[in-house]
Amino acid sequence: MQALLQGRGRSMPLPQQAQQLPVGQASPQQTRQSPGAQASPQKQHPPAGQPSPPRAGPGSAGQPSPGQPSPGHSSTQQLEGRFARMATEDRRPTVSNVGKDGKAVALSGNYIRIRCANPGVYQYHVDYRPMVDSKNMRFKMLNEHRDVIGQVKAFDGSILYLPIRLPDQETVVISKRITDGVDITLTIRLTRVVPPESCLMVYNIIFRRIMYILQMVQVGRYFYNPKTPSAVPQHKLEVWPGYITSVCENEGGLMLLADASHRVLRTQTVLELMQQIVQRNSSGFQDECVKKLVGTVVLTRYNNKTYRIDDIIWDKSPAHSFPCKNTGESITFQEYYKKAYNKNIQDDQQPLLLHRQKKKRTPQGMEQQCENICLIPELCYMTGLTDELRSDFRVMKDIATHTRVSPAQRKLTMGKFVNSVNSSPEASQELANWGLSFDNDTIDIEGRQVQEEKIIFRDGHVMAGPQADWGRDATRKTVITAVDLKNWIVLYTKRDSAAVQEYISMMLKCCPQMGIQCNNPTRYELRDDRTETYIKSLRDNINPTVQMVVIIFPTSRDDRYSAVKKLCCVECPVPSQVIIAKTIKDQKKLRSVTQKVGLQINVKLGGELWALSIPMSNLMVVGIDVYHDATRGKRSIAGFVSSTNKECTRWYSRVCFQLPGQELIDGLKICMTSAIRKYHEVNHTFPEKVVVFRDGVGDGQLSIVGGHEVEQLKQCFRQFGDNYNPTMTVVVVQKRINARIFLKTNRDLENPPPGTVVDHTITRREWYDFYLVSQHVRQGTVSPTHYIVVHDSSNMRPDHLQRLSYKMTHLYYNWPGTVRVPAPCQYAHKLAYLVGQNIHKEPSTELSDRLFFL
């Protein structure tokens, strides 16, 4: 069900609490006919934090309208008492788990406190008798009675939200249906008073309305200002600045999350792109156009709206005609765009683009058919970046000058948004209508910086440092566990033979310095770079004695990479390393590249590079992430990675496939059982503590993961005996969040240092959660990671869980520094991505005890 702000045509979901509930004793009804609408008196609000005064005048809650009976005193008291109890029941218990360890740091965040002068929002159910199916007609009929309900409302066709309380619990009004003249009785019944903390969806609708008032344009999920674009002409791009806003309830109260956002748009039209495709491939251009365009989002600048291209209509052009919706007369697309938007279409032979509107549901749950929209390629502009643009370093560097925003710039952006709202009389009035106001500055937070970690190598240890980066030490120190590279093969083409010789020589020189013994490989020079040639050579030369296969590709090609990985991970299981030739042709960078490849090969063979002190005994850490494979029937692949030793430096991995409609937990139970068996095989004991870091979970799935999934995972423990009942902590890891944390200094705002933890004020009121900054960034603003504990039977102290989470971010062996999420989550992501993107099959279990997917 969706609530709609009248006059804007934009919809948002209603709160879950929007249900019809019985309330108290019925009061007398108010009945009236619908003459012309009368203006409601202007609502005056007290200062923030004070109760609203009783309203006077028609439609007010404080005093009945002239000529209408007033509800009895006892009935009113019963009703007020019932609403007070409902408001109290609506508040969920606050969950607070605050740590104490670490150094206190003064922080700020991109949150602004919201004040609400009203007791909440009044929710009504509107019933139409006889029934009216058309939602538009429902809106029109309700709007005829603005003198009763007031000018301000949120309505979806059935549920009505008002900032004021009507004088009666049940109000009856009558409208006339214009199609047949039948009188329709509208019964507006008060169902509940929704307290401010439960009105988040309604408040978010209000801020959407404010964005339209400020003349912002919605592109995708967020709003942008088309009047102040930043041009990137050398790449035919432009960047629109915008805002992210979201009203949320945190431990510190009701807040507005506000942040800067940027949308990259192309100045290239769809027609220009199609013409480029025709020039490159005149024979099969239609198929390539469909491949490039269908599914993309385009912007029409004549109305600043975005549309998703669902199909291309090749047999129609702008010269074709269609019946006009209002008059029924036939009109061509050229005539329509000239008349409606004053746009002259130059190419009358171009095909049309088709956008299928989403089906809408009536309040009764029936689907309404929506008309398709035909678009003109010449008037549609591409949005977003293609894979080609993303892979171009120069393009991304030029865009970053506009999109990478420092903490100080972000605060200026938030201040600019607040000033825009306050300086706009219409926007300010929109807030005042609902009793809302917000502070002029962002909130202050006291955070903590946890202790710096010690990175342990075989020949000593180093501190992670203030930037949590030990790249130099990783290549100068000796690895903890080295797997000597005795029998390995290298495949390459003839044109890369000189570069390969330099690379092998450097491997023989660098590996011993890191504690890894390396023998000369067996080399195979291929006659060409066809995929079949690589596959045949691999099949001919892989045998049980081969430890590692290194394949040098002259160029990057996804199909060739996928074929090689499928062979090496499924058919002939052996660790493999693919290198693009140009990365080893630069003599200045050859040593650095070779050292990193040498470390990566050691990890793929089962080696360990560095470690940290993990004080917990019999601990198994698990990471889970999900990849959605759209090419194979929209199935999902879950990567599952678990630690097998005390130091959490060796890992066991599995994948499971989830078909549409199938529960993911079915496959995860098999993975968990296998992981416990592997842990017992290595340690000769079962884990006593299991900590699961679960990635790939949205806010709407938290209860499912914390309830159903946890119970299913617990069933795995029973397979190892009735007495085996380890403690389990399940933590959802969210990295795609809009929350930002800033360090307050004497001069300005800066990025907080790695190890910064915030576990209060901006955390969720109903969940045990915390934010952790684990990375150091040199440009832009660092993004914290949100950890939400959905289950905890270990009663682990918040400090211990926060330290463990931070330690895990140090153990990702593909980067000598901290990463944004715990290492097992990153490993699970890499595994799921490799399987979903390239292999499409379950890897051989022979490789499951090594990080072959790095």
Side-chain angles (χ1 to χ4, degrees), residues 52 104 139 181 302 361 404 454 540 550 585 662 685 701 743 811 831 849:
S52 298
F139 289 147
Y302 50 81
R361 289 186 176 274
R404 279 188 185 151
K454 185 188 297 182
D540 293 343
V550 176
K585 288 183 177 179
Q662 179 187 3
T685 185
Q701 300 171 302
L743 176 68
L811 291 172
L831 174 60
D849 60 347

Side-chain angles (χ1 to χ4, degrees), residues 232-306:
V232 190
Q234 63 271 35
H235 306 298
K236 296 183 178 180
L237 300 172
E238 66 180 21
V239 180
W240 283 11
Y243 301 108
I244 296 171
T245 59
S246 175
V247 179
C248 47
E249 188 204 3
N250 299 323
E251 277 191 65
L254 203 63
M255 298 182 187
L256 173 70
L257 183 151
D259 197 18
S261 179
H262 296 87
R263 183 75 180 191
V264 178
L265 303 172
R266 286 186 260 170
T267 56
Q268 180 186 40
T269 65
V270 174
L271 181 60
E272 290 171 347
L273 179 61
M274 296 175 81
Q275 290 170 345
Q276 287 182 2
I277 294 173
V278 171
Q279 292 173 1
R280 289 198 307 263
N281 183 11
S282 58
S283 57
F285 77 94
Q286 288 193 359
D287 292 336
E288 191 174 349
C289 285
V290 169
K291 184 179 178 181
K292 291 275 188 183
L293 294 173
V294 171
T296 61
V297 176
V298 297
L299 173 76
T300 51
R301 293 179 186 264
Y302 50 81
N303 60 357
N304 278 328
K305 289 187 178 181
T306 55

Side-chain angles (χ1 to χ4, degrees), residues 208 218-224 243 263 738:
R208 286 170 63 92
Q218 185 175 11
V219 182
R221 187 180 298 178
Y222 306 124
F223 289 82
Y224 302 90
Y243 301 108
R263 183 75 180 191
N738 295 319

Side-chain angles (χ1 to χ4, degrees), residues 27 32 128 188 284 294 390 456 463 504 552 620 750 816:
S27 60
R32 66 181 295 281
Y128 292 78
I188 306 170
V294 171
R390 290 183 189 277
I456 303 170
M463 300 307 293
I504 293 173
I552 312 294
M620 185 174 80
E750 296 179 358

